[in-house]
Amino acid sequence: MRSVAYIETSVVSYLTARPSRDVVMMARQQVTREWWRTAPERFQLVASELVIREARQGDPNAARDRLMRLERVALLDATEEAEQLARELIAAGAVPPHAAVDAAHIAIAVTNRVHYLVTWNFRHIANAAMRSRIEWTCRSEGYEPPVICTPNELMEVSHGDQ
């Protein structure tokens, strides 16, 4: 059985964005494209209606590209359980109140028991300073948190590459 990976909106945004001139952004775009190429074979990819809603925003052509990439990704439910956990993440200071959408992404992934939450959002999700508080809050509410990581942390390494 394949591990389940929740695709947060920043991943599909990097996947479909026009090539950046910024070297860091360009590298993230390339890594995301490489990861996406093999990810469906290695993971059960999931997202949520929240990801779809965010992907619809902005330039209509870019939104169409993002939504097209998400067509084969299963959508998880944002249950009352997820809404409650999102509120707890904010109340515990694990995610700031102005980042309620990020708390919702985390909570949807957690309550649906995914293995990985894949994101490029370093401000409120893949943030080493906040990760321990996110994990502590999830566990205190009775959930095992997913591994929060970027696509490059889930790249497959062949034994010849080590």
Side-chain angles (χ1 to χ4, degrees), residues 52-119:
I52 299 297
R53 190 169 43 235
E54 289 180 317
R56 283 189 181 120
Q57 296 175 356
D59 176 77
N61 291 328
R64 185 174 50 253
D65 289 346
R66 289 188 294 269
L67 292 170
M68 184 183 75
R69 296 299 183 113
L70 291 166
E71 284 177 352
R72 294 189 181 137
V73 174
L75 297 182
L76 302 176
D77 291 328
T79 61
E80 175 56 39
E81 187 180 20
E83 291 174 16
Q84 177 60 33
L85 181 57
R87 288 190 292 271
E88 290 298 326
L89 287 164
I90 292 168
V95 178
H98 67 272
V101 170
D102 295 332
H105 282 297
I106 295 165
I108 292 167
V110 169
T111 58
N112 281 278
R113 293 164 175 73
V114 303
H115 301 105
Y116 300 98
L117 191 168
V118 187
T119 184

Side-chain angles (χ1 to χ4, degrees), residues 21 23-24 66 78 80 82 101 147:
R21 292 182 188 206
V23 294
V24 173
R66 289 188 294 269
E80 175 56 39
V101 170
V147 174

